[in-house]
Amino acid sequence: MLLSGQTQVVGLFGDPVAHSLSPVMQNAAIQAAAIDAVYVPFHVTPANLPAAIEGIRSLGLLGVNLTIPHKEAAFPLVDELDPAARVIGSINTIANRQGRLIGYNTDGSGLCQALRGELDVDVSGRRVLLLGAGGACRAAAVALAEAGACWVGIANRTLDRADRLIADLASAVQGTRFASFLFDEQLPDRLGQSVDLMINTTSVGLHGEAFAASVLSCVSPGGAVYDVVYSRQETPLVRQARAAKLAAADGLSMLAAQGSLAFALWFGQDPLPEVMRQTLQQHGSE
Ligand code: ATR
């Protein structure tokens, strides 16, 4: 990679940041598109986040991604928010438009893109169950509602957190019904009617842990399971779902899709198809 006097800089703010696959994925896409730019990981501590964001403007960075623990903290620090990001309450991408910093969240729209591409699932009019009630769940719930899901259930091991999330979403999102559930082994009984699609937004599976197999009976025959978790091997949930004859995919496609949406926001063009995904497959996850 040759840097010139005109090389544009994009990057990632995180703490930690060294484990991230975004630099290798984004730089591969930048090179494939022959753009004079570079994507740099920046280790930014929470105390330094406001100065780092101001630095986007002062150093003329084209934009950044934000990862743990900055997605919520960066939200009030930008000049303008994309409408979906405003409802989600967190941002994973900033674009610098002539010194004006615009915050976006491409996680939820990346998820919907991955559902279409990997599982051929269009969520419009569908019943979807989300496992978890954290930031990843919130981004997913907003994107699913925007994409026309008719019903979204949120099941969490701490019921109160699911209740609070739903109360929040119900006032901001129209057209989708929400319901909360305690996530334990009795979830399929409590749910009553099975769902077309179940999405794991918790970190369960990242280190090979599995849910109780009973969770799969929440999904209708012919339905699908998406695991936001991605690991080099098939995640336990994806393995269990495929064994139960359900269509299933892991989070690799979402990681690539949220990255390509950010790329398009910075560079005004889509990355070449498949470059990000293939790079992720080659480099795996830690
Ligand atoms: P993120 O912002 O990435 O979504 P988070 O806010 O820490 O991360 O949320 C993690 C989610 O995974 C939560 O819904 C958490 O459940 P609690 O709210 O009850 O803590 C869920 N989670 C984590 N470990 C879990 C486990 N072993 N079983 C079930 N849910 C789990």
Side-chain angles (χ1 to χ4, degrees):
M1 182 181 290
L2 274 179
L3 304 185
S4 74
Q6 273 130 47
T7 302
Q8 292 188 290
V9 180
V10 284
L12 172 66
F13 292 173
D15 180 20
V17 77
H19 67 286
S20 173
L21 293 170
S22 288
V24 73
M25 171 177 88
Q26 293 286 354
N27 282 314
I30 287 169
Q31 276 181 304
I35 297 172
D36 186 5
V38 62
Y39 184 101
V40 185
F42 294 101
H43 183 193
V44 174
T45 60
N48 283 329
L49 184 68
I53 288 184
E54 196 44 51
I56 298 171
R57 219 190 315 263
S58 51
L59 297 173
L61 271 55
L62 201 53
V64 295
N65 280 138
L66 299 145
T67 187
I68 290 169
H70 300 317
K71 291 185 184 188
E72 277 97 19
F75 182 84
L77 301 176
V78 292
D79 301 317
E80 206 178 301
L81 287 161
D82 173 68
R86 188 183 298 281
V87 180
I88 293 169
S90 68
I91 55 175
N92 74 334
T93 304
I94 295 174
N96 179 0
R97 310 248 185 256
Q98 284 87 43
R100 222 175 140 65
L101 304 183
I102 324 288
Y104 298 86
N105 191 313
T106 67
D107 287 331
S109 36
L111 169 67
C112 288
Q113 211 173 80
L115 292 172
R116 277 192 303 275
E118 287 296 285
L119 296 171
D120 201 19
V121 169
D122 176 356
V123 298
S124 173
R126 300 295 176 137
R127 287 170 52 82
V128 185
L129 178 64
L130 295 170
L131 305 178
C137 176
R138 196 179 168 107
V142 172
L144 291 169
E146 274 200 339
C150 70
W151 182 92
V152 173
I154 296 181
N156 200 42
R157 91 188 148 172
T158 315
L159 179 62
D160 180 50
R161 204 169 171 200
D163 284 339
R164 275 183 279 133
L165 177 52
I166 282 176
D168 239 35
L169 291 173
S171 59
V173 175
Q174 269 93 51
T176 300
R177 284 176 296 123
F178 292 98
S180 62
F181 299 91
L182 176 64
F183 181 20
D184 65 7
E185 298 221 358
Q186 278 77 55
L187 175 62
D189 302 328
R190 251 185 247 115
L191 197 60
Q193 196 186 339
S194 58
V195 297
D196 306 303
L197 170 68
M198 181 172 81
I199 303 174
N200 173 34
T201 73
T202 76
S203 51
V204 175
L206 202 55
H207 306 291
E209 328 86 297
F211 291 115
S214 61
V215 74
L216 290 168
S217 46
C218 293
V219 186
S220 310
V225 173
Y226 192 85
D227 193 351
V228 163
V229 170
Y230 161 62
S231 69
R232 201 179 256 280
Q233 277 93 36
E234 209 174 35
T235 66
L237 182 62
V238 167
R239 192 165 49 244
Q240 288 167 307
R242 288 181 179 151
K245 306 261 180 297
L246 297 167
D250 72 17
L252 181 130
S253 46
M254 179 178 163
L255 196 58
Q258 63 77 30
S260 57
L261 290 164
F263 183 103
L265 288 167
W266 300 322
F267 300 116
Q269 64 184 81
D270 290 328
L272 292 182
E274 294 301 312
V275 174
M276 288 191 171
R277 196 197 157 85
Q278 280 165 5
T279 308
L280 287 175
Q281 261 157 349
Q282 278 159 18
H283 290 265
S285 74
E286 288 91 277

